[in-house]
Coordinates of all heavy atoms in Angstrom, one line a residue:
M1 N 14.1 5.8 -8.3 CA 12.7 6.3 -8.1 C 12.1 5.7 -6.8 O 12.3 4.5 -6.6 CB 11.9 5.9 -9.3 CG 10.4 6.3 -9.2 SD 9.5 5.9 -10.7 CE 7.9 6.0 -10.1
V2 N 11.5 6.5 -6.0 CA 10.9 6.1 -4.8 C 9.4 5.9 -5.0 O 8.7 6.7 -5.6 CB 11.2 7.1 -3.6 CG1 10.5 6.7 -2.4 CG2 12.7 7.2 -3.4
V3 N 8.9 4.8 -4.4 CA 7.4 4.6 -4.5 C 6.9 4.7 -3.0 O 7.3 3.9 -2.2 CB 7.1 3.2 -5.0 CG1 5.6 2.9 -5.1 CG2 7.8 3.0 -6.4
E4 N 6.1 5.7 -2.8 CA 5.6 5.9 -1.4 C 4.2 6.3 -1.3 O 3.8 6.8 -0.2 CB 6.6 6.9 -0.7 CG 6.6 8.3 -1.4 CD 7.7 9.2 -0.8 OE1 8.4 8.8 0.2 OE2 7.8 10.3 -1.3
H5 N 3.4 6.3 -2.4 CA 2.0 6.6 -2.2 C 1.1 6.0 -3.3 O 1.6 5.6 -4.4 CB 1.8 8.2 -2.2 CG 2.2 8.9 -3.4 ND1 3.4 9.1 -3.9 CD2 1.4 9.5 -4.3 CE1 3.4 9.8 -5.0 NE2 2.2 10.0 -5.3
C6 N -0.2 6.0 -3.0 CA -1.2 5.7 -4.0 C -1.5 6.9 -4.8 O -2.1 7.9 -4.2 CB -2.4 5.1 -3.4 SG -3.8 4.8 -4.5
I7 N -1.0 7.0 -6.0 CA -1.2 8.2 -6.8 C -2.7 8.5 -7.1 O -3.1 9.7 -6.9 CB -0.5 8.0 -8.2 CG1 1.0 7.8 -8.0 CG2 -0.8 9.2 -9.1 CD1 1.7 7.3 -9.2
C8 N -3.4 7.5 -7.4 CA -4.9 7.8 -7.7 C -5.6 8.4 -6.5 O -6.5 9.2 -6.7 CB -5.5 6.5 -8.2 SG -4.7 5.8 -9.7
H9 N -5.3 7.9 -5.3 CA -6.1 8.4 -4.2 C -5.3 9.6 -3.5 O -5.8 10.1 -2.5 CB -6.3 7.3 -3.2 CG -7.4 6.4 -3.6 ND1 -8.7 6.5 -3.1 CD2 -7.4 5.3 -4.4 CE1 -9.5 5.5 -3.6 NE2 -8.7 4.8 -4.5
K10 N -4.1 9.9 -4.0 CA -3.3 11.0 -3.4 C -3.1 10.8 -1.9 O -3.4 11.7 -1.1 CB -4.0 12.3 -3.7 CG -4.1 12.7 -5.2 CD -4.7 14.1 -5.4 CE -4.6 14.5 -6.8 NZ -5.7 14.1 -7.6
I11 N -2.7 9.6 -1.6 CA -2.4 9.3 -0.1 C -1.1 8.5 0.0 O -0.9 7.6 -0.8 CB -3.6 8.5 0.5 CG1 -3.4 8.3 2.0 CG2 -3.9 7.2 -0.2 CD1 -4.6 7.7 2.7
T12 N -0.3 8.9 0.9 CA 1.0 8.2 1.1 C 0.8 6.9 1.8 O -0.2 6.6 2.5 CB 1.9 9.0 2.0 OG1 1.4 9.1 3.3 CG2 2.2 10.4 1.4
F13 N 1.7 6.0 1.6 CA 1.7 4.7 2.3 C 1.7 4.9 3.8 O 1.1 4.1 4.5 CB 2.8 3.8 1.8 CG 2.8 3.4 0.4 CD1 4.0 3.0 -0.3 CD2 1.6 3.4 -0.3 CE1 3.9 2.6 -1.6 CE2 1.6 3.0 -1.7 CZ 2.7 2.6 -2.3
K14 N 2.4 5.9 4.2 CA 2.5 6.2 5.7 C 1.1 6.5 6.2 O 0.7 6.0 7.3 CB 3.4 7.4 5.9 CG 3.8 7.6 7.3 CD 4.8 6.7 7.8 CE 5.3 7.0 9.2 NZ 6.2 6.0 9.7
D15 N 0.3 7.3 5.4 CA -1.0 7.7 5.9 C -2.0 6.5 5.7 O -2.9 6.3 6.6 CB -1.5 8.9 5.1 CG -0.9 10.2 5.5 OD1 -0.3 10.2 6.7 OD2 -1.0 11.2 4.8
I16 N -1.7 5.7 4.7 CA -2.6 4.4 4.6 C -2.3 3.5 5.8 O -3.2 3.0 6.4 CB -2.2 3.7 3.3 CG1 -2.6 4.5 2.1 CG2 -2.9 2.3 3.3 CD1 -2.1 4.0 0.8
Q17 N -1.0 3.4 6.2 CA -0.6 2.6 7.3 C -1.3 3.1 8.6 O -1.9 2.3 9.4 CB 0.9 2.6 7.5 CG 1.4 1.8 8.6 CD 2.9 1.9 8.7 OE1 3.5 3.0 8.8 NE2 3.6 0.8 8.6
K18 N -1.3 4.4 8.8 CA -1.9 5.0 10.0 C -3.4 4.8 10.0 O -4.0 4.4 11.0 CB -1.6 6.6 10.0 CG -2.2 7.3 11.1 CD -1.9 8.8 11.1 CE -2.6 9.5 12.2 NZ -2.5 11.0 12.0
T19 N -4.1 5.0 8.9 CA -5.5 4.8 8.8 C -5.9 3.3 9.0 O -6.8 3.0 9.7 CB -6.0 5.2 7.4 OG1 -5.7 6.6 7.2 CG2 -7.5 5.0 7.3
A20 N -5.1 2.4 8.4 CA -5.3 1.0 8.6 C -5.2 0.6 10.1 O -6.0 -0.2 10.6 CB -4.3 0.2 7.8
A21 N -4.2 1.2 10.8 CA -4.1 0.9 12.2 C -5.2 1.4 13.0 O -5.8 0.7 13.9 CB -2.8 1.5 12.7
E22 N -5.7 2.6 12.7 CA -6.8 3.2 13.4 C -8.1 2.4 13.2 O -8.9 2.3 14.1 CB -7.1 4.6 12.9 CG -6.0 5.6 13.3 CD -6.0 6.9 12.7 OE1 -6.9 7.1 11.8 OE2 -5.2 7.8 13.0
K23 N -8.3 1.8 12.0 CA -9.5 1.1 11.7 C -9.3 -0.4 11.8 O -10.2 -1.2 11.4 CB -9.9 1.4 10.2 CG -10.4 2.9 10.0 CD -10.7 3.2 8.6 CE -11.2 4.6 8.4 NZ -12.7 4.7 8.7
S24 N -8.2 -0.9 12.3 CA -7.9 -2.3 12.4 C -8.0 -3.0 11.1 O -8.6 -4.1 11.0 CB -8.8 -3.0 13.5 OG -8.5 -2.4 14.7
I25 N -7.5 -2.4 10.0 CA -7.5 -3.0 8.7 C -6.2 -3.7 8.5 O -5.2 -3.2 8.7 CB -7.8 -1.9 7.6 CG1 -9.2 -1.4 7.7 CG2 -7.4 -2.4 6.2 CD1 -9.5 -0.2 6.8
S26 N -6.3 -4.9 7.9 CA -5.1 -5.7 7.7 C -5.0 -6.2 6.3 O -4.1 -7.1 6.0 CB -5.0 -6.8 8.7 OG -6.1 -7.7 8.5
S27 N -5.8 -5.8 5.3 CA -5.7 -6.3 4.0 C -6.0 -5.2 3.0 O -6.7 -4.2 3.3 CB -6.7 -7.5 3.8 OG -8.0 -7.0 3.7
V28 N -5.5 -5.4 1.8 CA -5.8 -4.5 0.7 C -7.3 -4.4 0.4 O -7.9 -3.4 0.1 CB -5.0 -4.8 -0.6 CG1 -5.5 -4.0 -1.8 CG2 -3.5 -4.6 -0.4
G29 N -7.9 -5.6 0.4 CA -9.4 -5.7 0.2 C -10.2 -4.8 1.1 O -11.1 -4.1 0.7
E30 N -9.8 -4.8 2.4 CA -10.5 -3.9 3.3 C -10.2 -2.4 3.0 O -11.1 -1.6 3.1 CB -10.0 -4.2 4.7 CG -10.5 -5.6 5.2 CD -9.8 -5.9 6.6 OE1 -8.6 -6.3 6.6 OE2 -10.5 -5.9 7.6
L31 N -9.0 -2.1 2.6 CA -8.7 -0.7 2.3 C -9.5 -0.3 1.1 O -10.0 0.8 1.0 CB -7.2 -0.6 2.0 CG -6.2 -0.7 3.2 CD1 -4.8 -0.9 2.7 CD2 -6.3 0.5 4.1
Q32 N -9.6 -1.2 0.1 CA -10.4 -0.9 -1.1 C -11.9 -0.7 -0.7 O -12.6 0.2 -1.2 CB -10.3 -2.0 -2.1 CG -8.9 -2.0 -2.7 CD -8.7 -3.3 -3.6 OE1 -9.1 -4.4 -3.2 NE2 -7.9 -3.1 -4.7
K33 N -12.4 -1.6 0.1 CA -13.8 -1.5 0.5 C -14.1 -0.1 1.2 O -15.2 0.4 1.0 CB -14.1 -2.6 1.5 CG -15.6 -2.8 1.8 CD -15.8 -4.1 2.6 CE -17.3 -4.3 3.0 NZ -17.5 -5.4 3.8
E34 N -13.1 0.4 2.0 CA -13.3 1.7 2.6 C -12.9 2.8 1.7 O -13.0 4.0 2.1 CB -12.4 1.7 3.9 CG -12.7 0.7 5.0 CD -13.9 1.2 5.8 OE1 -14.1 2.4 6.0 OE2 -14.6 0.3 6.3
N35 N -12.5 2.5 0.5 CA -12.1 3.5 -0.5 C -11.0 4.4 -0.1 O -11.0 5.6 -0.3 CB -13.3 4.4 -0.9 CG -13.1 5.0 -2.3 OD1 -12.4 4.5 -3.2 ND2 -13.7 6.2 -2.5
I36 N -10.0 3.8 0.6 CA -8.9 4.5 1.1 C -7.8 4.5 0.1 O -7.1 5.5 -0.1 CB -8.4 3.8 2.4 CG1 -9.4 4.0 3.5 CG2 -7.0 4.4 2.9 CD1 -9.2 3.1 4.7
C37 N -7.6 3.5 -0.7 CA -6.6 3.4 -1.7 C -6.8 2.2 -2.6 O -7.8 1.4 -2.3 CB -5.2 3.3 -1.1 SG -5.0 1.8 -0.1
C38 N -6.0 2.1 -3.6 CA -5.9 0.8 -4.4 C -7.2 0.5 -5.2 O -7.4 -0.7 -5.5 CB -5.6 -0.4 -3.5 SG -4.1 -0.2 -2.5
T39 N -8.0 1.4 -5.6 CA -9.3 1.1 -6.3 C -9.3 1.5 -7.7 O -10.2 1.1 -8.5 CB -10.5 1.7 -5.6 OG1 -10.4 3.1 -5.7 CG2 -10.6 1.3 -4.2
N40 N -8.3 2.2 -8.2 CA -8.3 2.7 -9.6 C -7.3 1.9 -10.5 O -7.7 0.8 -10.9 CB -8.0 4.2 -9.6 CG -8.3 4.8 -11.0 OD1 -9.2 4.3 -11.7 ND2 -7.5 5.7 -11.4
C41 N -6.1 2.4 -10.7 CA -5.2 1.7 -11.6 C -4.6 0.4 -10.9 O -4.1 -0.5 -11.6 CB -4.1 2.6 -12.0 SG -2.8 2.9 -10.7
K42 N -4.6 0.4 -9.6 CA -4.1 -0.7 -8.8 C -2.6 -1.0 -8.9 O -2.1 -2.0 -8.5 CB -4.9 -2.0 -9.1 CG -6.3 -1.9 -8.8 CD -7.1 -3.2 -9.1 CE -8.6 -3.1 -8.7 NZ -9.3 -2.1 -9.4
L43 N -1.8 -0.1 -9.5 CA -0.4 -0.3 -9.6 C 0.3 -0.3 -8.2 O 1.3 -0.8 -8.0 CB 0.3 0.9 -10.4 CG 0.0 0.8 -11.9 CD1 0.5 2.0 -12.6 CD2 0.6 -0.5 -12.5
C44 N -0.4 0.4 -7.2 CA 0.1 0.4 -5.9 C -0.1 -0.8 -5.1 O 0.5 -1.0 -4.0 CB -0.5 1.6 -5.2 SG -2.3 1.5 -5.0
V45 N -1.0 -1.7 -5.5 CA -1.5 -2.8 -4.7 C -0.3 -3.7 -4.2 O -0.3 -3.9 -3.0 CB -2.5 -3.7 -5.5 CG1 -2.8 -5.0 -4.8 CG2 -3.8 -2.9 -5.6
P46 N 0.6 -4.1 -5.0 CA 1.7 -4.9 -4.5 C 2.5 -4.2 -3.4 O 3.0 -4.9 -2.5 CB 2.5 -5.4 -5.7 CG 2.1 -4.5 -6.8 CD 0.7 -4.0 -6.5
Y47 N 2.7 -2.9 -3.6 CA 3.4 -2.1 -2.6 C 2.7 -2.0 -1.3 O 3.2 -2.1 -0.2 CB 3.8 -0.8 -3.1 CG 4.8 -0.8 -4.3 CD1 4.3 -0.8 -5.6 CD2 6.1 -1.0 -4.0 CE1 5.2 -0.9 -6.6 CE2 7.0 -1.0 -5.1 CZ 6.6 -1.0 -6.4 OH 7.4 -1.1 -7.4
V48 N 1.4 -1.8 -1.4 CA 0.5 -1.7 -0.2 C 0.5 -3.1 0.5 O 0.5 -3.1 1.8 CB -0.9 -1.2 -0.5 CG1 -1.8 -1.2 0.7 CG2 -0.8 0.2 -1.1
E49 N 0.4 -4.1 -0.2 CA 0.5 -5.5 0.4 C 1.8 -5.6 1.1 O 1.8 -6.2 2.2 CB 0.3 -6.5 -0.7 CG -1.1 -6.7 -1.2 CD -1.2 -7.7 -2.4 OE1 -0.2 -8.1 -3.0 OE2 -2.3 -8.1 -2.6
L50 N 2.9 -5.2 0.5 CA 4.2 -5.3 1.1 C 4.3 -4.4 2.4 O 4.8 -4.8 3.4 CB 5.3 -4.9 0.1 CG 6.7 -5.3 0.4 CD1 6.9 -6.7 0.8 CD2 7.6 -4.8 -0.7
M51 N 3.7 -3.3 2.3 CA 3.6 -2.4 3.5 C 2.9 -3.0 4.6 O 3.3 -3.0 5.8 CB 2.9 -1.0 3.1 CG 2.8 -0.1 4.2 SD 1.5 1.1 4.0 CE 0.1 0.1 4.3
L52 N 1.7 -3.6 4.3 CA 1.0 -4.3 5.4 C 1.7 -5.4 6.0 O 1.6 -5.7 7.2 CB -0.4 -4.8 4.8 CG -1.4 -3.7 4.4 CD1 -2.6 -4.3 3.7 CD2 -1.9 -2.9 5.7
K53 N 2.5 -6.1 5.2 CA 3.3 -7.3 5.6 C 4.5 -6.9 6.4 O 4.9 -7.6 7.4 CB 3.6 -8.1 4.4 CG 4.3 -9.4 4.8 CD 4.5 -10.3 3.5 CE 5.1 -11.7 3.9 NZ 5.0 -12.6 2.8
T54 N 5.2 -5.8 6.0 CA 6.5 -5.5 6.6 C 6.5 -4.3 7.5 O 7.4 -4.1 8.2 CB 7.5 -5.3 5.5 OG1 7.2 -4.1 4.7 CG2 7.6 -6.5 4.6
G55 N 5.6 -3.4 7.3 CA 5.6 -2.1 8.0 C 6.4 -1.0 7.3 O 6.4 0.1 7.7
V56 N 7.1 -1.4 6.2 CA 7.9 -0.4 5.5 C 6.9 0.4 4.6 O 6.0 -0.1 4.0 CB 8.9 -1.1 4.6 CG1 9.7 -0.2 3.7 CG2 9.8 -2.0 5.4
T57 N 7.2 1.8 4.5 CA 6.3 2.6 3.8 C 6.9 3.4 2.6 O 6.3 4.1 1.9 CB 5.7 3.7 4.7 OG1 6.7 4.4 5.3 CG2 4.8 3.1 5.8
T58 N 8.2 3.1 2.4 CA 8.9 3.7 1.2 C 9.7 2.6 0.5 O 10.5 1.9 1.2 CB 9.9 4.9 1.7 OG1 9.1 5.8 2.4 CG2 10.6 5.5 0.5
F59 N 9.5 2.5 -0.8 CA 10.2 1.5 -1.5 C 10.9 2.0 -2.7 O 10.5 3.0 -3.3 CB 9.1 0.5 -2.0 CG 8.3 -0.1 -0.9 CD1 7.1 0.4 -0.6 CD2 8.8 -1.2 -0.2 CE1 6.3 -0.1 0.4 CE2 8.0 -1.8 0.8 CZ 6.7 -1.2 1.1
E60 N 12.0 1.3 -3.1 CA 12.6 1.6 -4.5 C 11.6 0.9 -5.5 O 11.0 -0.1 -5.2 CB 13.9 1.0 -4.6 CG 15.0 1.7 -3.8 CD 15.2 3.1 -4.3 OE1 15.2 3.3 -5.5 OE2 15.4 4.0 -3.4
A61 N 11.5 1.6 -6.6 CA 10.7 1.0 -7.7 C 11.2 -0.4 -8.0 O 12.4 -0.6 -8.1 CB 10.7 1.9 -8.9
G62 N 10.3 -1.4 -8.1 CA 10.7 -2.7 -8.4 C 11.0 -3.5 -7.1 O 11.4 -4.7 -7.2
A63 N 10.9 -2.9 -6.0 CA 11.2 -3.6 -4.7 C 10.3 -4.9 -4.6 O 10.8 -5.9 -4.0 CB 11.0 -2.7 -3.5
I64 N 9.1 -4.9 -5.1 CA 8.3 -6.0 -5.0 C 8.8 -7.2 -5.7 O 8.5 -8.4 -5.3 CB 6.8 -5.7 -5.5 CG1 6.9 -5.2 -6.9 CG2 6.1 -4.7 -4.6 CD1 5.5 -5.1 -7.6
Y65 N 9.7 -7.0 -6.7 CA 10.2 -8.1 -7.4 C 11.5 -8.6 -6.8 O 12.0 -9.7 -7.1 CB 10.5 -7.7 -8.9 CG 9.2 -7.2 -9.6 CD1 9.1 -5.9 -9.9 CD2 8.2 -8.1 -9.9 CE1 7.9 -5.4 -10.5 CE2 7.0 -7.6 -10.5 CZ 6.9 -6.3 -10.8 OH 5.8 -5.9 -11.4
A66 N 12.2 -7.7 -6.0 CA 13.5 -8.1 -5.4 C 13.3 -8.9 -4.1 O 14.3 -9.5 -3.7 CB 14.3 -6.8 -5.2
L67 N 12.2 -8.8 -3.5 CA 12.0 -9.4 -2.2 C 11.3 -10.8 -2.3 O 10.4 -11.0 -3.2 CB 11.2 -8.5 -1.3 CG 11.8 -7.2 -0.9 CD1 10.8 -6.3 -0.2 CD2 13.1 -7.4 -0.1
N68 N 11.6 -11.7 -1.5 CA 11.0 -13.0 -1.4 C 9.7 -12.8 -0.6 O 9.7 -12.5 0.6 CB 11.9 -14.0 -0.8 CG 11.2 -15.3 -0.7 OD1 10.0 -15.5 -1.0 ND2 11.9 -16.3 -0.1
L69 N 8.5 -12.9 -1.2 CA 7.3 -12.6 -0.5 C 6.6 -13.9 -0.1 O 5.4 -13.8 0.4 CB 6.3 -11.8 -1.4 CG 6.8 -10.5 -1.9 CD1 5.8 -9.8 -2.8 CD2 7.1 -9.6 -0.7
D70 N 7.3 -15.0 -0.1 CA 6.7 -16.2 0.4 C 6.4 -16.1 1.9 O 7.2 -15.6 2.6 CB 7.6 -17.4 0.1 CG 7.7 -17.8 -1.4 OD1 6.8 -17.4 -2.1 OD2 8.7 -18.5 -1.7
P71 N 5.2 -16.6 2.3 CA 4.9 -16.5 3.7 C 5.8 -17.3 4.6 O 6.5 -18.2 4.2 CB 3.5 -17.1 3.8 CG 3.2 -17.8 2.6 CD 4.2 -17.3 1.5
Ligands
FES1 S1 -1.8 4.2 -7.6 FE1 -3.2 3.3 -6.2 S2 -4.9 2.8 -7.4 FE2 -3.6 3.9 -8.8

């Protein structure tokens, strides 16, 4: 199973990435404040955080648990 969008906001991680770049947004909190994604069920939050950190926009389900996210 591929994880590539915020279901609640009906927006792909690729489009979130593009919007974040256009608005100089670098955190999930800022994306939420702009109501772009991540404000409802929040299941996408760890993936969006990973996207912001790595630039990757498509993940295997569970990828957040397989990667070492230490800074
Ligand atoms: S999938 Fe992103 S808030 Fe629900």
Side-chain angles (χ1 to χ4, degrees):
M1 179 178 163
V2 174
V3 182
E4 59 188 359
H5 67 287
C6 172
I7 297 167
C8 299
H9 284 263
K10 298 184 172 90
I11 183 169
T12 64
F13 295 157
K14 190 81 175 172
D15 285 343
I16 294 169
Q17 183 181 55
K18 182 180 174 193
T19 301
E22 289 169 356
K23 294 178 177 276
S24 298
I25 288 174
S26 60
S27 73
V28 169
E30 292 172 283
L31 290 166
Q32 290 170 322
K33 191 173 177 183
E34 296 279 331
N35 201 31
I36 295 165
C37 63
C38 308
T39 63
N40 190 36
C41 75
K42 298 181 177 63
L43 289 174
C44 61
V45 168
Y47 293 97
V48 174
E49 286 176 343
L50 193 54
M51 179 202 74
L52 291 170
K53 185 172 184 170
T54 65
V56 175
T57 56
T58 302
F59 304 95
E60 287 297 319
I64 55 173
Y65 303 110
L67 296 173
N68 179 358
L69 299 179
D70 290 340

